Amino acid sequence: MTTTVTSHRTRPPAQPASLRARRLPWYAAPAIAVAALALSAALVYGIDIGGPVLVVVLGAVLYLVGLFAAANAVEGRRSARNRTWSALIHSAFVLAVLPLVSVVWTLVSKGTERLDGNFFQTSMNNIGARDANGGAYHAIVGTLEQVGIATLITVPLGILCAIYIVEYGRGKFAFTIRFFVDVMTGIPSIVSGLFVLAFWVLVVSPWFNDGRPSFSGFAAALALSVLMLPTIVRSTEEMLRLVPPPLREGAYALGVPKWKTILRVVLPTALPGIVTGVMLAIARAAGETAPVLLVAGGGAAINTNPFENNQSSLSLFVYQQAGDASKYAPARAWTAALTLVALVLILTIAAKLLARRNRLSR
């Protein structure tokens, strides 16, 4: 006699309708956003109180109010708060990105008008107000030489200063160095230009120029060095402090000297952050106008010697062309601005790739 045992799957009991969380459908948020923008446009253009910017701002406010009201009615107050704060965070991100997108779009749309071979192969020498030609070759050469010399001066000095502060500096002397570095961070660019003008141009340069003061690209590089140095020191200092202490302790335990530990362990670990700080300093120096105008003087001709005569830069070229009365000057200014941004971007990408390759190779 066989007994058959039958197994039945038991289904979980259905939850009461009161325990199920009610949620807004997926299309609710986009629908509320469209309705908010439509209502905002109707109010702004109907009353004639503004333009597209006011439409977007008012639409964002109406969207937040509408989203909170809809979520509060369907999902409850707690979920409504969560949705509202999430929308605020996303809105803040969009507001932060919009200026960047606007700047890039403006540069690309207006800077491509003179993006041709003549712009990169000629200078403004003997170019009149009615001449459509003329380029920024002299300014590109000046920017590369001035920023390059300033980088050669400040990068070793800034990294060594940061190493001293983090690895060796103790007591009042290290505190004094850190204090003056912080003070230098807030120095206006015009002050650094005046300092180099009073020291180098008026005092030192006459020794090499038959007793007459002279402008030069090297003087501009010195002024840019004053601006770059605190940025490099502070960024390198913070990156060195982020290196885990066990890395240093492990090297010391193996009998490695401190200087070799810094050179072979600490610096390679902090290299990506150091490169980022250096590129930030280079970007700031490349965009400065006042120091170059004060101590390099600017010029329309090509000068490849940074130690003699006037020299221009891309930022100074943009400033001069933006204030020129010629109808062809604005196009040159926008193209020079686009060139400057592209130059800094290319240098940043190259430095990042180099730092990444060196880090992986170790």
Side-chain angles (χ1 to χ4, degrees):
M1 180 175 168
T2 58
T3 306
T4 304
V5 179
T6 314
S7 61
H8 299 281
R9 287 187 178 179
T10 58
R11 295 182 179 179
Q15 293 182 350
S18 59
L19 296 181
R20 296 175 186 171
R22 300 173 60 193
R23 298 187 62 82
L24 287 173
W26 63 270
Y27 54 83
I32 293 173
V34 173
L37 283 176
L39 180 59
S40 173
L43 289 174
V44 171
Y45 291 118
I47 309 176
D48 195 14
I49 57 174
V53 176
L54 184 58
V55 170
V56 173
V57 173
L58 183 58
V61 174
L62 293 176
Y63 168 72
L64 293 175
V65 173
L67 183 64
F68 179 82
N72 188 37
V74 177
E75 300 177 347
R77 191 172 187 84
R78 184 174 182 178
S79 181
R81 288 182 195 162
N82 181 55
R83 281 185 177 273
T84 304
W85 281 108
S86 298
L88 279 172
I89 293 172
H90 288 91
S91 301
F93 170 76
V94 172
L95 289 177
V97 171
L98 277 179
L100 176 62
V101 174
S102 175
V103 169
V104 173
W105 173 255
T106 304
L107 278 176
V108 173
S109 60
K110 295 187 177 182
T112 54
E113 183 177 348
R114 279 299 316 277
L115 205 62
D116 50 32
N118 179 267
F119 184 82
F120 294 103
Q121 296 175 2
T122 61
S123 68
M124 292 299 295
N125 199 25
N126 298 324
I127 298 296
R130 297 183 179 181
D131 293 328
N133 293 324
Y137 178 77
H138 63 298
I140 296 173
V141 170
T143 296
L144 292 175
E145 291 184 351
Q146 294 162 19
V147 175
I149 294 173
T151 303
L152 291 177
I153 294 173
T154 54
V155 169
L157 186 61
I159 292 178
L160 290 175
C161 182
I163 290 174
Y164 172 78
I165 293 174
V166 175
E167 303 293 340
Y168 297 97
R170 299 292 184 273
K172 294 183 178 180
F173 184 64
F175 174 80
T176 303
I177 294 177
R178 191 179 296 110
F179 172 76
F180 280 107
V181 168
D182 292 337
V183 171
M184 288 178 63
T185 305
I187 290 180
S189 59
I190 191 71
V191 175
S192 68
L194 288 172
F195 168 72
V196 174
L197 177 67
F199 168 68
W200 182 267
V201 176
L202 299 180
V203 176
V204 179
S205 67
W207 297 353
F208 308 98
N209 196 37
D210 298 329
R212 294 173 300 173
S214 69
F215 293 148
S216 65
F218 182 73
L222 292 178
L224 297 179
S225 300
V226 176
L227 300 175
M228 292 175 61
L229 184 61
T231 303
I232 295 176
V233 173
R234 291 298 293 165
S235 60
T236 305
E237 178 187 353
E238 295 301 324
M239 290 302 106
L240 294 178
R241 292 187 187 280
L242 290 177
V243 176
L247 292 179
R248 297 181 176 90
E249 295 168 359
Y252 298 153
L254 294 174
V256 180
K258 187 171 185 176
W259 68 268
K260 188 173 289 186
T261 300
I262 296 171
L263 187 63
R264 297 294 182 86
V265 177
V266 177
L267 285 178
T269 305
L271 183 60
I274 295 174
V275 170
T276 300
V278 170
M279 294 314 302
L280 287 175
I282 289 176
R284 182 190 177 185
E288 290 294 343
T289 303
V292 181
L293 182 62
L294 277 176
V295 300
I302 299 172
N303 178 19
T304 58
N305 186 357
F307 300 99
E308 291 182 0
N309 301 324
N310 293 21
Q311 196 175 54
S312 185
S313 69
L314 279 172
S315 58
L316 182 57
F317 181 82
V318 172
Y319 171 75
Q320 292 171 339
Q321 292 299 310
D324 200 316
S326 173
K327 66 177 182 178
Y328 304 108
R332 300 191 196 107
W334 282 111
T335 305
L338 179 61
T339 304
L340 179 60
V341 173
L343 185 63
V344 173
L345 180 62
I346 291 171
L347 292 176
T348 302
I349 293 175
K352 286 287 188 179
L353 291 177
L354 182 62
R356 182 184 178 186
R357 179 188 175 193
N358 290 342
R359 187 179 183 184
L360 291 176
S361 65
R362 283 185 290 271

